[in-house]
Amino acid sequence: MSLKGGAGPVALFIGGTHGDEFEGPAAVMRLARQLDPAGLAGQVILVPALNAPAIAESSRVSPLDGANLNRAFPGDPDGGPTAMIADYVETELLPRADAVVDLHSGGKASFFQPCTLVTHCADGALYEANLALARAFGLPLIWRLGAQNDDRSVNAAAERRGVPMIATELGGGGGSDPEITDRAEAGLLRMLRTLGIIAGAAEPRDARVVETSSPDSSLCAAGDGLFDRAAAAGQEAKSGALAGTLHHVFEPERPSRDVKFQSDGVILAHTCRGLVRRGDLLHLVAQDVTE
């Protein structure tokens, strides 16, 4: 959906890149109901269901080709369905935009402490523009994507195109949390005010900036079992503290295994799975950025 008023910037708001993440699509649909083109100084492009086949199946990946859209960029105009969507976003949608938001949550597998994501670009001016968008969105936590960033995502595509962009992580669990969706809607409206597309003032908000400095900070399951979680997203992790216990419920003669945090930091996300497989993410932990 494209809503265009008078002259002004272009904002691109994307939801449904993953098909089991619903707070973002709900917030985009709320905007579609309330924005009046006659009151816009610019254009708002709303894409609530970028990966529509995956949303129809409530699946992280597309049922058409089994591909993960946020790992498909830059895409291929002559490739499969997911590669074609990625190519269209990178070559047609992103170059039109002055500001982009890609709205994610944890999906069925994880729950994230609500945060915005910014790419730490080699281009310092673009990085500062990304930070400005995050502070305009207004969540108190910013996750900076640094050396651990994936270059196959919408964030990476925006960096290649030189377009200011943020992503979000907004809860998760496979449903749509009303309080978190309210915050997403409010953030999008704050961005439109900051850009001058709709009337009203929105002062930037200070936020804690963190980065996953090492993959070893996060915890993954060392084996199959029931994860008896002892900590949650948004809490502080302390090295050596209990993160949870892995119980071998199908082999009760095996002793349960305590899982402990390997470093200090903030817990960005925790698993929503009860039964986990070896390698599944249990806790995603990030450290404060000092600049």
Side-chain angles (χ1 to χ4, degrees), residues 227-231 241-246 257-261 283:
F227 185 58
D228 186 3
R229 184 168 54 82
L242 183 67
T245 302
L246 189 67
R257 181 188 314 175
D258 285 343
V259 180
K260 297 184 178 181
F261 290 108
H283 289 287

Side-chain angles (χ1 to χ4, degrees), residues 4 14 54 76 84 90 96 104 140-141 145-146 152 177 189 203 215-216 220 227 241 245 252 283:
K4 189 172 184 180
I14 296 171
D76 182 351
M84 292 173 70
E90 182 153 347
R96 299 172 184 264
H104 288 263
L141 185 63
L145 304 175
R152 300 167 293 169
D177 182 287
L189 289 169
E203 292 297 322
D216 295 333
C220 294
F227 185 58
T245 302
H283 289 287

Side-chain angles (χ1 to χ4, degrees), residues 208-214 217 263-266 285-289:
R208 179 182 184 180
V209 182
V210 300
E211 182 175 326
T212 50
S213 57
S214 168
S217 297
S263 62
D264 295 348
V266 61
V285 180
Q287 288 71 42
D288 288 297
V289 171

Side-chain angles (χ1 to χ4, degrees), residues 75-108:
D76 182 351
D78 298 314
T82 301
M84 292 173 70
I85 294 171
D87 173 77
Y88 181 78
V89 172
E90 182 153 347
T91 62
E92 298 294 334
L93 290 183
L94 291 179
R96 299 172 184 264
D98 298 293
V100 180
V101 183
D102 184 25
L103 296 150
H104 288 263
S105 61
K108 294 177 182 177

Side-chain angles (χ1 to χ4, degrees), residues 11 67-68 82 116 131 143 218:
N68 179 342
T82 301
T116 48
L131 276 176
W143 178 10
S218 297

Side-chain angles (χ1 to χ4, degrees), residues 95-280:
R96 299 172 184 264
D98 298 293
V100 180
V101 183
D102 184 25
L103 296 150
H104 288 263
S105 61
K108 294 177 182 177
S110 304
F111 181 91
F112 272 83
Q113 179 68 10
C115 60
T116 48
L117 289 70
V118 301
T119 302
H120 190 199
C121 308
D123 181 340
L126 183 58
Y127 172 54
E128 291 300 326
N130 292 343
L131 276 176
L133 288 181
R135 293 189 171 113
F137 196 90
L139 293 177
L141 185 63
I142 296 173
W143 178 10
R144 190 175 81 171
L145 304 175
Q148 307 301 318
N149 191 28
D150 195 302
D151 65 1
R152 300 167 293 169
S153 65
V154 179
N155 288 73
E159 181 181 6
R160 285 191 288 271
R161 294 290 168 171
V163 180
M165 184 260 180
I166 61 172
T168 66
E169 291 289 358
L170 302 163
S176 179
D177 182 287
E179 180 180 351
I180 294 177
T181 303
D182 287 347
R183 296 173 74 180
E185 178 188 11
L188 295 175
L189 289 169
R190 285 176 53 84
M191 282 189 59
L192 292 178
R193 295 187 186 101
T194 300
L195 293 166
I197 295 177
I198 62 175
E203 292 297 322
R205 293 177 175 174
D206 288 336
R208 179 182 184 180
V209 182
V210 300
E211 182 175 326
T212 50
S213 57
S214 168
D216 295 333
S217 297
S218 297
L219 299 176
C220 294
D224 299 353
L226 188 156
F227 185 58
D228 186 3
R229 184 168 54 82
Q235 295 178 346
E236 297 297 316
K238 296 295 182 184
S239 180
L242 183 67
T245 302
L246 189 67
H247 301 298
H248 303 286
V249 291
F250 301 115
E251 302 173 84
E253 70 281 2
R254 290 181 61 185
S256 297
R257 181 188 314 175
D258 285 343
V259 180
K260 297 184 178 181
F261 290 108
Q262 300 301 303
S263 62
D264 295 348
V266 61
I267 304 172
L268 282 177
H270 65 251
T271 183
C272 289
R273 296 185 172 105
L275 289 174
V276 297
R277 298 282 187 182
R278 181 180 178 87
D280 284 349

